[in-house]
Amino acid sequence: MGCDIKISRRSVLASCALWPAVRLLRGQQANTTFSTDVKVVNVFATVRNKQGQIVRDLTKDDFQLDEDGRPQTIKYFSQESDLPLTLGLLIDTSFSQRTVLAQERTASRRFLEQVLRPEKDLAFIIHFDSEVELLQDLTSSREKLEKSLGEVQLPAEPRLGQRNPNPNPGGRGSRGRRGGTDLYDAVMLAADELMKKQKGRKALIILSDGVDTGSKMTLEDGVESAQRADTLAYSVLFADPNAYGRMGGFGGPSRRGGGWGRGRGGMGERDGKKVLERISGETGGRFFEVSHKEPIDKVYSDIEEELRNQYNLGYTPDRKDGAGYRRIHLTGRQKGLVVQTRDGYYAT
């Protein structure tokens, strides 16, 4: 039927040319369509001063907001949102992450323990390499999440001297377990199949070097899906700078050319940093880069601080007709304030 769907023992998907037909299988059928009647638009924002410190004491009158250049009236405002939080952890398990994966697992455990409020917040875990796999569906159980993090591992590597069965590593036709990185597909799956159905605050945390070598979807598809799901994306660039030079044919691009994944009709993007910056910037999240001065634990601490100190603003658009993307411009009236929020939303 033109569609090759692979389902692992832990449930999910692999590849299908007809993406809308792909559904998570986790004890339910996710075949409802998403629609929304845009009456109130909610905007979550983080505000910093010139020193980069979070500002926590602003009021509604300290903000001004417009939609497509038209001033809007902020009708709802709260300094600290007590709304439920839905978190999605997207972990890159391609071979380019081989030296950093253990640190990601340990830091992720601590982060989820600190952030999730029992019986109120939910989280799920997806890993991606040449497949996108749901390790743990939405749950408030820290035990289940911790167990799933223990299952995060690299794909099986060919033994020394064994010929790589994938002659075109990371290429568009490569869907084998030993090559490719399906970052855009993972973002789209998380947004369309999990986040879109949830209410309240929603955030993805992407742990990756940002290099996609096998997705069927494009970067634009992934960004749009997160925007339509009203989901912030926090991107964490955690990379081994020597990974691709060492690995050659195992999950990374060869220096002799070959398999850079382009997504469906898109252009390949070798600069993973720019990819992750775009995903976060256009969804209202934030980009981080792990380094000696900014270790993964510090990054997670910063994300936690943001999630605990968001302003929640709501407005009713003065323009009632017209579907499509509408741009939001939210600024602070005081000089020197930097407001971090999403670029806009899709009206239907």
Side-chain angles (χ1 to χ4, degrees), residues 56-163:
R56 300 176 173 87
D57 58 354
L58 300 179
T59 68
K60 179 176 69 172
D61 295 333
D62 291 315
F63 292 90
Q64 54 188 10
L65 183 148
D66 68 68
E67 179 183 292
D68 288 339
R70 302 161 63 96
Q72 304 294 317
T73 300
I74 299 172
K75 296 184 177 181
Y76 174 82
F77 179 86
S78 65
Q79 291 185 2
E80 293 183 352
S81 174
D82 196 40
L83 291 173
L85 173 65
T86 303
L87 277 175
L89 212 57
L90 273 58
I91 303 176
D92 185 345
T93 51
S94 63
F95 277 104
S96 64
Q97 301 297 100
R98 64 199 300 176
T99 64
V100 301
L101 196 57
Q103 297 177 62
E104 292 177 351
R105 275 196 302 259
T106 301
S108 296
R109 285 192 182 98
R110 287 197 290 264
F111 174 72
L112 291 174
E113 287 176 358
Q114 294 170 359
V115 172
L116 289 185
R117 298 167 295 180
E119 309 305 325
K120 187 162 193 174
D121 300 329
L122 297 171
F124 63 88
I125 297 173
I126 285 176
H127 88 94
F128 59 95
D129 39 64
S130 62
E131 295 178 341
V132 179
E133 185 174 24
L134 180 69
L135 295 178
Q136 176 57 55
D137 204 346
L138 284 163
T139 182
S140 60
S141 169
R142 292 176 180 173
E143 291 77 13
K144 290 181 179 179
L145 292 166
E146 183 172 347
K147 180 181 178 182
S148 296
L149 282 172
E151 298 176 357
V152 173
Q153 56 188 334
L154 297 174
E157 185 174 2
R159 287 174 289 184
L160 188 64
Q162 180 180 352
R163 189 171 74 90

Side-chain angles (χ1 to χ4, degrees), residues 37-311:
D37 181 14
V38 179
K39 294 181 179 179
V40 176
V41 177
N42 287 312
V43 180
F44 294 99
T46 302
V47 182
R48 289 185 173 77
N49 58 24
K50 291 181 180 179
Q51 292 73 40
Q53 300 167 328
I54 289 182
V55 179
R56 300 176 173 87
D57 58 354
L58 300 179
T59 68
K60 179 176 69 172
D61 295 333
D62 291 315
F63 292 90
Q64 54 188 10
L65 183 148
D66 68 68
E67 179 183 292
D68 288 339
R70 302 161 63 96
Q72 304 294 317
T73 300
I74 299 172
K75 296 184 177 181
Y76 174 82
F77 179 86
S78 65
Q79 291 185 2
E80 293 183 352
S81 174
D82 196 40
L83 291 173
L85 173 65
T86 303
L87 277 175
L89 212 57
L90 273 58
I91 303 176
D92 185 345
T93 51
S94 63
F95 277 104
S96 64
Q97 301 297 100
R98 64 199 300 176
T99 64
V100 301
L101 196 57
Q103 297 177 62
E104 292 177 351
R105 275 196 302 259
T106 301
S108 296
R109 285 192 182 98
R110 287 197 290 264
F111 174 72
L112 291 174
E113 287 176 358
Q114 294 170 359
V115 172
L116 289 185
R117 298 167 295 180
E119 309 305 325
K120 187 162 193 174
D121 300 329
L122 297 171
F124 63 88
I125 297 173
I126 285 176
H127 88 94
F128 59 95
D129 39 64
S130 62
E131 295 178 341
V132 179
E133 185 174 24
L134 180 69
L135 295 178
Q136 176 57 55
D137 204 346
L138 284 163
T139 182
S140 60
S141 169
R142 292 176 180 173
E143 291 77 13
K144 290 181 179 179
L145 292 166
E146 183 172 347
K147 180 181 178 182
S148 296
L149 282 172
E151 298 176 357
V152 173
Q153 56 188 334
L154 297 174
E157 185 174 2
R159 287 174 289 184
L160 188 64
Q162 180 180 352
R163 189 171 74 90
N164 186 359
N166 176 16
N168 181 28
R172 292 183 63 188
S174 168
R175 307 300 295 176
R177 186 79 166 100
R178 294 189 176 97
T181 309
D182 295 357
L183 168 60
Y184 311 151
D185 287 356
V187 173
M188 191 167 182
L189 176 71
D192 284 356
E193 301 294 345
L194 291 160
M195 287 301 196
K196 192 174 282 187
K197 303 176 180 69
Q198 302 304 308
K199 303 295 183 183
R201 297 179 299 150
K202 297 177 281 187
L204 294 176
I205 298 175
I206 304 167
L207 296 162
S208 177
D209 60 13
V211 178
D212 188 300
T213 61
S215 285
K216 288 188 172 295
M217 299 297 106
T218 64
L219 173 57
E220 290 75 15
D221 292 328
V223 170
E224 181 177 334
S225 64
Q227 290 172 331
R228 287 187 179 276
D230 295 332
T231 299
L232 308 177
Y234 289 90
S235 298
V236 182
L237 175 61
F238 202 175
D240 176 356
N242 301 313
Y244 292 116
R246 286 200 313 266
M247 291 184 301
F250 302 137
S254 169
R255 289 184 175 180
R256 291 175 292 181
W260 285 96
R262 298 173 180 240
R264 186 196 55 196
M267 292 299 293
E269 178 56 79
R270 299 191 181 205
D271 193 335
K273 181 176 181 178
K274 288 183 178 179
V275 167
L276 295 176
E277 286 176 333
R278 179 176 174 186
I279 293 173
S280 292
E282 294 187 17
T283 61
R286 188 179 171 198
F287 168 80
F288 296 87
E289 184 170 2
V290 176
S291 64
H292 291 297
K293 293 183 179 180
E294 192 84 359
I296 182 65
D297 285 323
K298 174 63 166 55
V299 168
Y300 267 139
S301 178
D302 290 344
I303 294 175
E304 179 185 0
E305 184 182 26
E306 282 201 11
L307 292 174
R308 295 190 186 280
N309 294 281
Q310 291 179 315
Y311 294 96

